[in-house]
Amino acid sequence: MLCDKQQHRIDYLLFFISWVYVIKFDLTSYSLFVVLSFFYIVLSILTIILQNEGLSTRLVITYFLFVFYAVSVTLFSSGNVIEVLGFVLNYSVIFFAVQAINHKEYFRRYTYIYVLGLLAAAVVRLISFSVPTIDSFIQSMTVVNTVRTLSTISTRFTGLDLDPNYFSLQILIAMSCLLVLFNLDGKKEKKSIVFIIILAAFGVLTYSKMFIITFIALILMTFIVFFKNNVKTAIKFSSFILVICGTALFFFYEKLFEIYWIRFFGAGISTDAITTGRVSSWGMFASEILQSTKIFVFGAGFGTTFSKVKMAHTMYLSTPYYLGFFGVILALLYILSLYKVLQNNVGIVGHTSFQLLSVNAIPLYIMFIANIGLDSFVMDYFPYHILLLMFALTMNKSQGIQMNGR
């Protein structure tokens, strides 16, 4: 990282983000990823100073307001300072990453590096099942999730993540970004499809209800977009999906059907059972937010007692709980400022409108859908998802492109 160019330093973080919960130092709770992130930020500041680079005033202001607010709310609520600093660290990384990007081709590079890191983590976990020492180490750092059927007990695949649902979310983001690459400038990158198939297989092995629901949504959205743009492409896509799904069901139908039937309906057909207790969590967090004016307006901060006991299991409640109304507004302003700087850096000029039915918007929709049942906003990898999603939105070939002179 020290010897690499600034635009390539983020590569190491994108690759190792999938390993963040496993590779930790013995004497502290800090992971290798935290050290790399801190090192990246220091190098980025030095690069900006030495090269006398200009910064967007709007971005700097929204960044400092967001960071100051998150830390202040946590301190006033007697929360966990270490936790909020970790949160701020990850959102600081994308501040410098966006500043460094000066060409739209970096989207291809960053997407493939993120995918390779995710696949490397998955392969390491697969190998570890045959190596007791590595397997026991990974189990000591993570949580083993299983599904019990009438015949067997199956382990839900998590890669090197703590939770199969969050591992499958990373897979979905990677798949949707690969889909953007596949359709970029009319070029059909076949290796993107190969990676999508491999990632989908790992996603199915998580036995995640969220993954299946969001994956079906991904297929439907892709078909609609392809059909809108080119009926022939939509027909080819449908035929391809039918062949892949048909082949998978032919060989694994009995096992997959039994496991997913248990996952969806094994505990009954009530809303709480189907959502694995999420409805109760949503009710508890909604009550906490609505019953306290302080939490509703300013947020509860990070590492407070209630959030340690229970998770909201939805980003749309956990985010306002931690940050409150004002914090959510500041977070959105910061992300919009990042997006504006990114657009300028890759050379998008003039007025550009958001296209609802475009392949480039699919990663954004996937993030919105999957996080109905997940708390990604406070996870280490969510800022990197934001970076990839924003970059995907700048890849629309119908927009005027003029290369930045930086």
Side-chain angles (χ1 to χ4, degrees), residues 92-226:
S92 300
V93 167
I94 58 172
F95 173 90
F96 294 104
V98 166
Q99 292 288 345
I101 296 169
N102 58 8
H103 199 291
K104 67 174 185 176
E105 279 300 312
Y106 281 110
F107 176 69
R108 176 179 279 101
R109 179 187 181 93
Y110 295 161
T111 297
Y112 280 128
I113 287 173
Y114 177 68
V115 168
L116 290 174
L118 194 56
L119 288 175
V123 170
V124 166
R125 187 64 183 113
L126 281 178
I127 294 173
S128 72
F129 290 127
S130 302
V131 184
T133 305
I134 301 178
D135 185 42
S136 61
F137 168 74
I138 293 175
Q139 286 190 34
S140 70
M141 304 295 279
T142 59
V143 179
V144 178
N145 293 269
T146 59
V147 181
R148 181 187 295 272
T149 62
L150 295 175
S151 55
T152 59
I153 297 177
S154 302
T155 300
R156 298 178 63 189
F157 191 73
T158 59
L160 297 181
D161 209 316
L162 290 173
D163 188 292
N165 293 319
Y166 289 102
F167 177 70
S168 62
L169 172 62
Q170 294 201 71
I171 287 175
L172 287 163
I173 295 296
M175 290 170 63
S176 57
C177 288
L178 286 168
L179 190 63
V180 174
L181 280 182
F182 173 75
N183 198 59
L184 189 61
D185 296 330
K187 300 175 183 178
K188 308 301 181 185
E189 293 193 19
K190 294 181 179 178
K191 62 180 179 181
S192 296
I193 297 300
V194 174
F195 281 131
I196 287 173
I197 294 172
I198 296 171
L199 287 169
F202 281 121
V204 171
L205 292 177
T206 63
Y207 307 134
S208 168
K209 291 181 282 188
M210 181 278 297
F211 174 80
I212 292 298
I213 293 170
T214 312
F215 184 48
I216 292 172
L218 173 62
I219 293 173
L220 291 175
M221 284 188 289
T222 305
F223 175 78
I224 291 170
V225 171
F226 283 170

Side-chain angles (χ1 to χ4, degrees), residues 316-328:
Y316 304 107
L317 286 174
S318 63
T319 306
Y321 173 79
Y322 287 117
L323 295 176
F325 175 78
F326 286 130
V328 170

